[in-house]
């Protein structure tokens, strides 16, 4: 049993060694992954960026699970529970349940049309469907700027672990940030060489560790603290009045916060599968049914997320101290400190490894997704229309390095609060691509220029509203909730922005159609949205079937 | 090489699958349904265990929709 952490403690050698062991293990795995289901050539985006589009149900399950449930979720959701309770934290549970019926309905269509036309990114689809370079660029840029802070937040997760271990805090900036720098350099190196295969393989290690840790932690809470006492402690904290006279947080939502809770759950669910990295993982599946089956079995991760969220309450009951190595309180440290206080060093090391590796998997997938967007929808679209698959893969590899380095700079130079603010904005932004993408899967009714105007309106409205939110900690970007226009109901900003977006798109479509504005070419046909793995495909490099000629069926 | 066949689902099957998928969404998005303290289960307030329960129920509903669609597809090919 280790003692409570105070500012400037010495390094916990045992926990650090365990963390290092797992880190080296996944590093070796990451480099060896290039040999897994070895393709004839890694020199295309289908292979490097989508793992050959050949992952089955199990691999996709681990990959999507590793992708959607990030280290930041593991640290931030319990931190939010610890600080302000259900509305800011526990909504993640309904959110990650509601998302799967949505994936079940929409994503097989996306998979089919992408498989049929060789689309790699959501912006590729928009380009093909609406024949609009502007709209495709808007979707691509939104994807990239929404993903960057998300990668940065993975680093915040690792930082929380390093801080708990006694690395960081005091000392000069170079030594303080060196461990983070090394971790990311190694991650960048194996993503470069193995592409999407690296996170797919490492996800196995990550999830095994996470499940192990959470089962042990929940048994510990049940036996040592007791669930009844845990909830009572949480309720007592949440109902305590702060200096301003308001309650500290929400234990169970009431009629003032019903809409906040459900709009956060729905809005986040809609945003989650619009993120480029979830699209990447979905498109790497082998068939439509791989996606459908995964929609049914992925909620298992939500069980784990819910239990992890409760650890925020457990930290309240255990009176966990959240003072960081820099001497300031930081709710993000609730879970790492809880593990450090409650468990022997070696097990705390396993928990820290789970969080750190949990950061590496999504960071790798996100950087691949952002790189693919840049390559397909900016580089090839605007600079080199005749790029070969090999050149595309090369550009993507380099951009994935740039993206990760950018995220690192972001975290090292800007305040942590900025990363969280931008992540909040990222969710609002990515939600604005949903009208073009999801409506596009079903209908060409919307006019491409109306969609672009709707996107712009939603982006501006969402950004301004988020900027205006104050909180005790910050003057701007203080939260993701605001009053719905012309009402007193507090809802998720992303969802109100989406309503604005939709209104503008619908109204302008009527106007533009009346004016007979050119609608643009649609390169997709009605049957493309139903085609399965045995249907005709463009540029499929199968793992067993070899290279198919364009337009020739692989049966 | 066989002709790409239309793979649209019969309306009845599509509607039934849609209902199976919308139930978990509504059960979780209508917050007043479950934002209460009791009855408790193993110390968990209703609000918390209800949502944990829906992790499993949602999985079941989604899987049922999958089976329904798969059966319809297979029947069609015969």
């Amino acid at each position: 049993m280790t003692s409570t952490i105070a500012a400037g403690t010495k390094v916990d050698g045992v926990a650090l060694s365990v963390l290092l062991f797992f880190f080296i293990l996944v590093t070796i795995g990451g480099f060896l992954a290039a040999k897994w289901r070895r393709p004839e050539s890694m020199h295309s985006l289908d292979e490097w960026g989508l793992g050959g589009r050949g992952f089955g149900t199990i691999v996709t399950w681990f990959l999507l699970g590793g992708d959607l449930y990030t280290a930041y979720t593991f640290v931030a959701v319990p931190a939010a529970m610890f600080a302000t309770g259900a509305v800011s934290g526990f909504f993640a549970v309904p959110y990650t349940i509601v998302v799967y019926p949505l994936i079940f309905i929409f994503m097989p269509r996306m998979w089919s049309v992408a498989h049929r036309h060789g689309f790699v990114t959501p912006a590729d689809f928009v380009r093909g469907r609406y024949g609009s370079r502007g709209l495709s660029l808007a979707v691509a840029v939104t994807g990239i700027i929404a993903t960057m802070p998300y990668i940065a937040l993975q680093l915040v997760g690792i930082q929380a672990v390093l801080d708990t271990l006694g690395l960081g805090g005091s000392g000069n900036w170079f030594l303080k940030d060196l461990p983070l720098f090394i971790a990311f350099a190694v991650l960048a190196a194996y993503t470069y060489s193995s592409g999407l295969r690296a996170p797919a393989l490492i996800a196995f290690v990550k999830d095994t560790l996470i499940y192990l840790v959470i089962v042990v932690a929940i048994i510990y809470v049940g036996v040592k603290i007791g669930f009844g006492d845990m909830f009572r402690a949480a309720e007592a904290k949440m109902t305590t009045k702060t200096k301003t006279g308001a309650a500290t947080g929400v234990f169970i939502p009431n009629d003032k916060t019903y809409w906040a809770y459900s709009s956060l759950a729905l809005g986040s669910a809609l945003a989650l599968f619009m993120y480029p990295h979830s699209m990447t993982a979905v498109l790497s599946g082998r068939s439509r049914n791989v996606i459908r089956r995964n929609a049914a079995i992925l909620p298992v991760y939500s069980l784990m997320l819910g239990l992890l969220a409760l650890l925020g309450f457990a930290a309240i009951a255990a009176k966990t101290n959240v003072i960081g190595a820099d001497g300031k309180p930081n709710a993000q440290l609730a879970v790492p400190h809880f593990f450090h206080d409650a468990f022997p060093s070696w097990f705390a090391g396993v928990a820290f490894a789970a969080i750190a590796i949990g950061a590496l998997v999504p960071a790798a997938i996100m950087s691949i997704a952002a790189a693919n967007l840049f390559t397909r929808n900016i580089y090839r679209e605007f600079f080199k229309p005749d790029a070969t698959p090999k050149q595309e893969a090369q550009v993507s590899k380099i951009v994935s390095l740039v993206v990760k380095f950018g995220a690192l700079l972001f975290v090292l130079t800007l305040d942590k609060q900025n990363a969280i603010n931008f992540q909040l904005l990222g969710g609002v932004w990515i939600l604005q691509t949903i009208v073009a993408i999801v409506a596009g899967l079903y209908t060409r009714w919307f006019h491409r220029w109306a969609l672009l105007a709707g996107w712009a309106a939603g982006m501006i409205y969402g950004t301004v509203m988020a900027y205006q939110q104050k909180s005790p900690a910050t003057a701007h970007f203080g939260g993701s909730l605001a009053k719905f226009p012309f009402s007193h109901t507090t809802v998720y900003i992303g969802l109100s922005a989406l309503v604005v977006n939709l209104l503008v798109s619908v109204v302008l479509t009527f106007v533009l159609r009346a004016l007979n504005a050119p609608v643009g070419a649609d390169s997709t046909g009605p049957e493309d949205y139903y085609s399965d793995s045995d249907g005709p495909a463009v540029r499929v490099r199968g793992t067993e079937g070899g290279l198919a000629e364009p337009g020739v069926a692989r049966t | 090489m066989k002709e790409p066949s239309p793979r649209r689902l019969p309306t009845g099957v599509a509607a039934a699958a849609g209902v199976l998928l919308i139930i978990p969404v509504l059960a979780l998005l209508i917050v007043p349904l479950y934002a209460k303290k009791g009855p408790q289960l193993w110390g968990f307030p209703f609000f918390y265990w209800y949502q944990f329960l829906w992790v499993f129920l949602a999985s079941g509903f989604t899987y049922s929709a999958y089976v329904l669609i798969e059966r319809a597809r297979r029947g069609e090919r015969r």
Side-chain angles (χ1 to χ4, degrees):
Chain A
M1 214 60 163
T2 43
S3 60
T4 319
I5 304 121
T9 41
K10 49 187 186 314
V11 175
D12 183 337
V14 178
L16 182 61
S17 308
V18 174
L19 176 66
L20 273 178
F21 167 77
F22 283 109
F23 185 71
I24 292 167
L25 183 75
V26 300
T27 302
I28 296 168
F31 282 110
L32 289 181
K35 296 193 166 60
W36 180 31
R37 297 158 173 259
R38 193 186 197 128
E40 289 145 48
S41 152
M42 275 291 252
H43 303 302
S44 76
L45 283 190
D46 277 348
E47 286 302 337
W48 182 82
L50 290 178
R53 296 190 196 244
F55 290 144
T57 305
I58 304 289
V59 179
T60 304
W61 185 69
F62 278 107
L63 186 66
L64 263 171
D67 189 18
L68 304 183
Y69 301 81
T70 70
Y72 181 66
T73 330
F74 299 152
V75 172
V77 169
M81 293 285 281
F82 177 84
T84 48
V87 169
S88 42
F90 210 72
F91 82 86
V93 173
Y95 141 42
T96 55
I97 297 174
V98 165
V99 70
Y100 296 114
L102 297 174
I103 286 182
F104 188 100
I105 295 169
F106 301 125
M107 286 317 225
R109 290 178 86 92
M110 179 56 103
W111 185 92
S112 289
V113 72
H115 184 257
R116 180 75 185 79
H117 289 269
F119 297 149
V120 177
T121 68
D124 279 351
F125 164 66
V126 167
R127 174 80 173 86
R129 179 63 150 162
Y130 299 97
S132 165
R133 298 171 87 188
L135 191 56
S136 159
L137 180 67
V139 170
V141 170
T142 312
I144 294 170
I145 58 172
T147 305
M148 290 279 284
Y150 216 157
I151 302 174
L153 277 184
Q154 304 308 315
L155 295 171
V156 173
I158 300 184
Q159 266 182 334
V161 166
L162 294 175
D163 187 286
T164 309
L165 281 170
L167 300 167
S170 52
N172 70 42
W173 68 270
F174 181 72
L175 278 178
K176 178 183 143 198
D177 295 324
L178 191 60
L180 194 61
F181 200 81
I182 294 170
F184 245 51
V186 171
L187 167 75
Y190 60 67
T191 312
Y192 185 91
S193 74
S194 306
L196 194 64
R197 285 176 169 79
L201 195 67
I202 296 171
F204 284 92
V205 181
K206 177 210 151 189
D207 292 328
T208 311
L209 287 180
I210 287 277
Y211 281 116
L212 175 76
V213 165
I214 192 67
V215 167
V216 171
I218 282 302
I219 292 172
Y220 173 90
V221 170
V223 173
K224 291 276 177 121
I225 301 174
F227 294 118
D229 286 344
M230 178 185 82
F231 282 111
R232 270 188 290 280
E235 187 176 15
K237 173 171 175 174
M238 293 312 149
T239 47
T240 307
K241 297 265 190 288
T242 57
K243 277 174 222 153
T244 56
T248 306
V250 178
F251 182 62
I252 291 174
N254 60 23
D255 51 3
K256 286 193 190 68
T257 44
Y258 288 156
W259 280 104
Y261 195 80
S262 64
S263 65
L264 274 171
L266 178 64
S268 310
L270 292 171
L272 183 63
F273 75 98
M274 282 298 110
Y275 269 107
H277 60 271
S278 19
M279 214 73 93
T280 298
V282 164
L283 296 188
S284 72
R286 190 170 44 208
S287 70
R288 284 167 72 97
N289 276 346
V290 165
I291 303 162
R292 290 225 175 90
R293 277 196 287 264
N294 262 286
I297 57 180
L298 272 162
V300 177
Y301 281 96
S302 306
L303 174 67
M304 175 189 78
L305 178 68
L307 295 173
L308 262 163
L310 291 184
L311 292 187
F313 280 179
I316 295 175
K319 299 192 171 56
T320 301
N321 155 8
V322 291
I323 308 290
D326 56 2
K328 291 181 202 142
N330 175 4
Q332 310 289 337
L333 297 173
V335 158
H337 280 196
F338 174 76
F339 277 111
H340 201 269
D341 290 348
F343 294 101
S345 276
W346 70 268
F347 190 75
V350 175
F352 297 159
I355 295 174
I357 298 169
L360 299 179
V361 173
I365 307 172
M366 288 167 190
S367 68
I368 289 170
N372 289 348
L373 277 171
F374 177 83
T375 306
R376 292 291 289 240
N377 310 110
I378 296 175
Y379 170 75
R380 196 180 78 165
E381 185 71 55
F382 293 95
F383 297 104
K384 200 163 169 38
D386 56 346
T388 63
K390 190 171 177 174
Q391 284 169 330
E392 283 185 11
Q394 195 53 42
V395 170
S396 251
K397 284 173 156 189
I398 293 165
V399 174
S400 85
L401 294 182
V402 174
V403 165
K404 278 194 277 277
F405 191 69
L408 193 61
L409 274 184
F410 199 97
V411 170
L412 296 185
T413 53
L414 292 173
D415 184 61
K416 212 177 298 166
Q417 189 57 44
N418 280 312
I420 297 169
N421 293 345
F422 276 104
Q423 148 67 3
L424 150 68
L425 271 178
V428 174
W429 289 338
I430 201 72
L431 209 43
Q432 307 315 317
T433 64
I434 203 172
V435 185
I437 296 171
V438 169
L441 287 174
Y442 290 87
T443 168
R444 260 305 302 267
W445 182 79
F446 283 102
H447 194 279
R448 52 191 176 151
W449 298 342
L451 286 170
L452 194 59
W455 167 84
M459 292 288 278
I460 294 167
Y461 174 85
T463 309
V464 170
M465 288 307 281
Y467 179 80
Q468 287 172 348
Q469 300 312 308
K470 288 187 202 125
S471 81
T474 52
H476 300 293
F477 303 114
S480 41
L481 296 167
K483 292 223 161 44
F484 193 76
F486 313 110
S487 82
H488 291 288
T489 313
T490 314
V491 298
Y492 176 43
I493 293 167
L495 219 51
S496 340
L498 183 58
V499 172
V500 172
N501 179 343
L502 199 58
L503 275 176
V504 171
S505 300
V506 170
V507 170
L508 283 184
T509 296
F510 275 117
V511 173
L512 287 164
R513 289 186 150 244
L515 296 174
N516 274 329
V519 291
D522 181 359
S523 70
T524 69
E527 292 311 322
D528 296 351
Y529 296 87
Y530 299 94
S531 119
D532 207 341
S533 45
D534 55 354
V538 175
R539 287 210 297 167
V540 168
R541 287 162 181 81
T543 44
E544 62 284 317
L547 186 68
E549 292 301 315
V552 175
R554 200 161 57 88
T555 42
Chain B
M1 180 180 159
K2 63 182 176 202
E3 285 296 305
S5 59
R7 289 161 183 275
R8 274 165 240 240
L9 288 169
T11 319
V13 175
V19 170
L20 284 172
L21 292 169
I22 199 79
I23 289 171
V25 175
L26 294 180
L28 286 161
L29 291 186
I30 305 175
V31 184
L33 278 180
Y34 58 94
K36 32 188 142 251
K37 236 176 128 175
Q40 299 204 350
L41 184 71
W42 301 317
F44 280 62
F46 184 72
F47 176 73
Y48 291 93
W49 69 256
Y50 174 90
Q51 294 180 74
F52 275 113
L53 180 68
W54 270 101
V55 170
F56 299 99
L57 294 179
S59 191
F61 277 100
T62 314
Y63 191 75
S64 311
Y66 166 74
V67 170
L68 205 66
I69 290 175
E70 263 312 281
R71 283 211 185 125
R73 285 262 152 77
R74 276 201 212 110
E76 208 174 77
R77 275 179 211 171
R78 249 179 242 136

